[in-house]
Amino acid sequence: MDEELSRLVKMAVSQINAGMVILDANHNIVLWNRFMQIHSGVSEGEIKGKNLFEQFPELKGTGLKKKIQSVFLLKNHAFTSWEYRPHLFQFANPHSVIGDDKWMQQDCTFSPMIDETGAVTHVCLSVFDSTNTAVYQKKLLRASGSLMKQRNKLAEINTKLEEAQNQLLQSEKMAAVGQLAAGVAHEINNPVGYVNSNVSALEGYINELLQILSAYETCEPALDQNNELIEALTQAKKSVDLDYLREDLGDLLKESKEGLDRVKKIVQDLKDFSHVDESEWQHADLHKGLDSTLNVVNNEIKYKAEVIKNYGKIPEIKCLSSQINQVFMNLLVNAAHAIETRGTITISTGAKDHGVWIEVEDTGSGISQEKLPRIFEPFFTTKPVGSGTGLGLSLSYNIIQKHKGTISVESEPNKGTKFHIWLPIDIESDDNSDANVA
Amino acid sequence: MTRLKDQFNEDRRDALQEVVNIAMGQAGDSLAKLFGTFVELSIPKFHLCDVTELNQVLSKNDAYVEKMTILRQPFSGQLRGEGIALFNNSGVNELASLMGYEGEVTFGNEREMLLDVCSILVGACLNGVASQLEISLSYTAPTIITKDTTIEEFFKPESIQWRYAMIMEICLTLEQYDFTSNMLLFLSEDSFPPLMDKLDHMLDEL
């Protein structure tokens, strides 16, 4: 029976679908089973008694000797895994028809062979073909890698969508403000119109009345027989201070007309600024836009800063002027907010590289180097909670981008900030349809 | 739990400590021969604990606050459990030459080397215990569980299957190489009865 068992064990070692190699303490090969013979193409007879590291010199210096030593010394099990060492023996991939790895991927185990005294006499090396697992594992890794990529992409798109939505909200708000302004302007325009014409008519009437009064006055000497009448006239003139009245009437009318002109100007600026009815790309004079914006935000600025205009000679550019005005307004209001007590805001313009540049420079508190790269991000604000939405500059940035222009910033804390905008004279016509959307 | 603690009485604890100390002595010798350098193995500490107490028990060791590479090697047979080896990611290059890896340390051979060290440590410690208790153990290939994790993040009670376990803590230091590895041997609850039997058997023979 023992003989039969031994025959079966031998047969099993030979037939098992895994490589089996037995090594002695000098790394000489004692057993080389059928699996090893088939895949290596070397028969047991050829290799038996030969040193493993001489037969397979590529195994030298790869930590294998230590592994085997640890098995001898510690009665340990040692392993190699295809994940970190794809193969110990370079055998062709048995999945030769469909498969993407050239070599068989192997998991190997080094086990101690212990005699009856408890000493390790040999090491048994088993080699398992893990090519299938490896192929699936690699596929899975690739799949999960691309899933991860897609996930990240989606997350990015999501963030962009959120930003876009917020900007949309902000620009709708601005549009609503613009409409309101235009409405108010229109409503004021009517009364201002008739007050203006009435004042003009009034001026004429008063002049005529004064002429008649002068005519009467020339008749006064004819009344010298009647002292009582002369006395009454002189008294009446004195009581109304006729000379002063004459003088002041002119001034009052002049001032009223000036006031009306100012109201008309403001109304016109409000209309220019909002451009509610002009959502189309048109050629516009940026100086006009700057001036009307300055008038609209005059209240924010006048107590804080002196405005210096260094306007150069610039051509008209094709733009959405109401949106460009929004950018100017943002920059001007920010500049005013940055100035704590009193400073200057310098607006400079010029032409360069088939475009126009505009600079808004303030002598305010400046922006620190850490914050500077973030100021165009949505919701980023240095203003106290509640006073800034953090959307102004990001909106400006997007408007300038839509115009295929650039916006950049330089700043030094406690010295001031300078925004530089460049806009092309005419953005490529084929992009206009896209730009028109927002 | 209290039942287990009762079972693990002073006699049995002493016997196990003795067995483990002998095993560590042998392991230290073998490891010194293998690495060709002086190896310091700490005297093993035992904890018998509920999974919820795990981090509390382990956090007493300062080394566990750092981020580490964590590997595990399962073993089975009459004693069942896992050896968890913790490396603090220093001294890896020196270790590579010590382990017979030549040339530049690549991703693959750094990982394999850590796996080697894990199975060497687990094997060295457990084989000594097993042979004294006349137990036969079988080992499954070790795997890397995680890189750059602290013990606390790793041992979340909800991610552990068993409720109670015996933990043996051993620290290996290669002073010359600035290399330290902590090892935790977890024995599962069902390994207790056979272990107690074996210890009693040993005590009877004294």
Side-chain angles (χ1 to χ4, degrees):
Chain A
M1 192 58 206
D2 268 358
E3 245 173 61
E4 174 67 0
L5 188 62
S6 148
R7 190 186 70 81
L8 287 175
V9 169
K10 264 191 187 165
M11 184 60 73
V13 168
S14 162
Q15 292 297 328
I16 192 166
N17 192 20
M20 192 182 276
V21 181
I22 295 180
L23 300 170
D24 67 13
N26 298 317
H27 308 134
N28 290 330
I29 295 164
V30 176
L31 182 140
W32 187 255
N33 81 342
R34 217 175 73 102
F35 180 97
M36 297 302 287
Q37 294 171 36
I38 288 170
H39 289 287
S40 69
V42 182
S43 74
E44 190 174 31
E46 283 173 84
I47 210 167
K48 211 168 169 175
K50 293 196 174 141
N51 185 287
L52 177 77
F53 292 98
E54 279 165 21
Q55 293 300 306
F56 299 93
E58 68 274 14
L59 295 178
K60 281 183 191 164
T62 62
L64 222 56
K65 283 187 182 170
K66 273 286 174 221
K67 263 190 221 282
I68 297 172
Q69 196 190 353
S70 80
V71 179
F72 275 110
L73 275 171
L74 304 166
K75 301 173 192 173
N76 209 25
H77 284 68
F79 305 89
T80 67
S81 154
W82 66 264
E83 271 187 277
Y84 308 119
R85 190 195 293 251
H87 53 77
L88 212 53
F89 298 100
Q90 192 167 299
F91 295 163
N93 182 359
H95 310 78
S96 50
V97 181
I98 308 157
D100 45 9
D101 278 308
K102 195 172 174 195
W103 309 113
M104 179 200 286
Q105 308 279 301
Q106 296 158 358
D107 280 328
C108 303
T109 307
F110 298 78
S111 332
M113 305 192 76
I114 303 168
D115 69 7
E116 52 281 359
T117 67
V120 181
T121 58
H122 294 81
V123 165
C124 176
L125 163 60
S126 25
V127 180
F128 301 96
D129 176 3
S130 304
T131 315
N132 256 341
T133 319
V135 167
Y136 284 126
Q137 182 82 5
K138 282 177 193 165
K139 269 188 194 156
L140 266 176
L141 271 178
R142 271 200 296 272
S144 76
S146 73
L147 272 179
M148 192 55 102
K149 250 191 220 158
Q150 282 173 9
R151 196 201 72 96
N152 290 344
K153 222 178 186 177
L154 275 178
E156 207 177 292
I157 291 171
N158 242 346
T159 323
K160 272 191 192 156
L161 266 176
E162 253 168 57
E163 280 172 21
Q165 197 193 8
N166 289 321
Q167 276 158 4
L168 207 66
L169 269 177
Q170 178 75 356
S171 67
E172 272 186 20
K173 205 166 86 185
M174 293 304 293
V177 169
Q179 237 155 10
L180 192 69
V184 169
H186 182 75
E187 288 302 320
I188 291 176
N189 223 10
N190 272 337
V192 165
Y194 63 74
V195 168
N196 198 36
S197 71
N198 288 358
V199 165
S200 293
L202 213 58
E203 193 179 21
Y205 294 165
I206 285 171
N207 282 335
E208 284 163 13
L209 277 174
L210 285 176
Q211 277 169 25
I212 289 177
L213 189 62
S214 299
Y216 275 122
E217 273 175 333
T218 53
C219 302
E220 267 175 37
L223 296 173
D224 53 1
Q225 311 91 326
N226 195 332
N227 278 338
E228 259 177 55
L229 275 175
I230 289 174
E231 186 64 21
L233 267 175
T234 318
Q235 201 60 42
K237 276 186 192 173
K238 227 180 204 165
S239 74
V240 297
D241 202 348
L242 189 64
D243 290 338
Y244 174 76
L245 198 142
R246 255 202 189 105
E247 198 184 300
D248 202 35
L249 256 177
D251 287 349
L252 283 178
L253 279 169
K254 202 177 143 216
E255 275 173 33
S256 297
K257 280 172 100 178
E258 272 171 14
L260 281 168
D261 279 346
R262 264 168 69 190
V263 173
K264 268 162 78 185
K265 179 98 177 59
I266 290 169
V267 166
Q268 189 55 44
D269 284 339
L270 272 175
K271 276 177 149 180
D272 285 351
F273 173 76
S274 53
H275 281 272
V276 194
D277 42 357
E278 289 174 34
S279 58
E280 278 175 21
W281 293 75
Q282 287 180 336
H283 285 281
D285 177 5
L286 291 188
H287 287 156
K288 223 173 122 192
L290 276 168
D291 287 340
S292 63
T293 308
L294 270 170
N295 280 329
V296 169
V297 296
N298 193 32
N299 250 329
E300 297 264 359
I301 296 177
K302 63 182 173 194
Y303 302 113
K304 285 290 197 66
E306 185 196 348
V307 176
I308 301 170
K309 295 183 196 171
N310 285 330
Y311 288 175
K313 203 168 147 40
I314 57 170
E316 289 196 341
I317 69 161
K318 200 170 184 187
C319 64
L320 293 167
S321 53
S322 64
Q323 296 205 350
I324 295 296
N325 287 349
Q326 265 184 42
V327 176
F328 293 156
M329 185 177 78
N330 269 320
L331 297 186
L332 290 168
V333 170
N334 279 348
H337 285 177
I339 293 167
E340 267 158 39
T341 46
R342 184 120 196 119
T344 49
I345 297 173
T346 311
I347 305 168
S348 317
T349 60
K352 192 188 161 195
D353 298 341
H354 308 290
V356 168
W357 59 265
I358 306 102
E359 262 176 18
V360 177
E361 188 175 5
D362 66 59
T363 55
S365 52
I367 305 161
S368 69
Q369 287 304 309
E370 308 90 72
K371 287 177 181 165
L372 208 54
R374 297 193 53 203
I375 59 164
F376 294 114
E377 285 176 22
F379 302 115
F380 183 81
T381 180
T382 55
K383 293 174 189 169
V385 177
S387 22
T389 56
L391 283 170
L393 279 177
S394 97
L395 192 68
S396 303
Y397 181 83
N398 280 284
I399 290 171
I400 298 300
Q401 282 228 314
K402 201 157 74 181
H403 285 76
K404 301 249 185 289
T406 56
I407 179 167
S408 59
V409 61
E410 286 168 41
S411 186
E412 207 174 315
N414 302 322
K415 286 221 166 149
T417 306
K418 180 160 81 179
F419 282 91
H420 183 100
I421 294 172
W422 177 86
L423 291 165
I425 292 174
D426 199 350
I427 76 168
E428 294 82 16
S429 50
D430 55 325
D431 284 317
N432 283 7
S433 54
D434 170 52
N436 253 333
V437 174
Chain B
M1 183 69 193
T2 39
R3 196 174 54 83
L4 290 179
K5 273 186 177 154
D6 288 344
Q7 277 184 19
F8 196 48
N9 59 29
E10 209 166 307
D11 281 349
R12 285 167 168 168
R13 185 182 277 270
D14 288 347
L16 184 60
Q17 187 77 56
E18 186 63 25
V19 166
V20 169
N21 288 353
I22 291 170
M24 285 307 115
Q26 293 168 344
D29 262 7
S30 313
L31 289 173
K33 267 185 215 157
L34 183 68
F35 292 133
T37 181
F38 183 70
V39 174
E40 195 187 310
L41 281 171
S42 68
I43 293 171
K45 277 188 279 186
F46 293 106
H47 309 287
L48 198 62
C49 74
D50 185 289
V51 65
T52 53
E53 305 168 328
L54 193 58
N55 276 315
Q56 218 181 331
V57 170
L58 294 176
S59 61
K60 284 177 191 157
N61 190 331
D62 289 343
Y64 298 153
V65 186
E66 292 173 49
K67 288 196 182 291
M68 290 180 287
T69 301
I70 303 177
L71 298 88
R72 71 158 164 215
Q73 174 156 39
F75 52 89
S76 39
Q78 280 159 295
L79 297 183
R80 227 161 50 86
E82 284 184 66
I84 308 280
L86 312 161
F87 298 103
N88 65 3
N89 303 334
S90 77
V92 167
N93 284 308
E94 290 88 341
L95 197 66
S97 67
L98 215 59
M99 292 294 292
Y101 290 87
E102 285 170 9
E104 209 185 321
V105 178
T106 62
F107 170 83
N109 60 30
E110 182 198 308
R111 296 299 171 97
E112 187 177 320
M113 182 183 73
L114 291 177
L115 291 167
D116 279 350
V117 176
C118 173
S119 65
I120 284 170
L121 290 181
V122 175
C125 301
L126 275 178
N127 283 335
V129 175
S131 71
Q132 287 177 73
L133 295 177
E134 295 173 338
I135 290 171
S136 138
L137 292 178
S138 145
Y139 297 93
T140 305
T143 46
I144 293 174
I145 308 174
T146 164
K147 286 209 109 182
D148 296 324
T149 307
T150 64
I151 280 283
E152 203 168 334
E153 288 164 346
F154 173 60
F155 283 123
K156 298 254 187 291
E158 62 273 15
S159 63
I160 293 172
Q161 288 182 12
W162 40 260
R163 303 317 305 164
Y164 312 110
M166 179 190 276
I167 304 164
M168 199 162 101
E169 249 184 302
I170 304 157
C171 176
L172 166 110
T173 313
L174 301 181
E175 261 180 26
Q176 261 176 290
Y177 294 92
D178 184 31
F179 176 85
T180 305
S181 167
N182 284 286
M183 199 178 61
L184 303 169
L185 283 172
F186 286 77
L187 277 187
S188 69
E189 202 180 341
D190 56 5
S191 303
F192 260 66
L195 179 64
M196 295 304 130
D197 281 352
K198 292 287 180 186
L199 290 174
D200 288 344
H201 188 65
M202 261 186 61
L203 285 167
D204 288 344
E205 284 184 346
L206 287 177

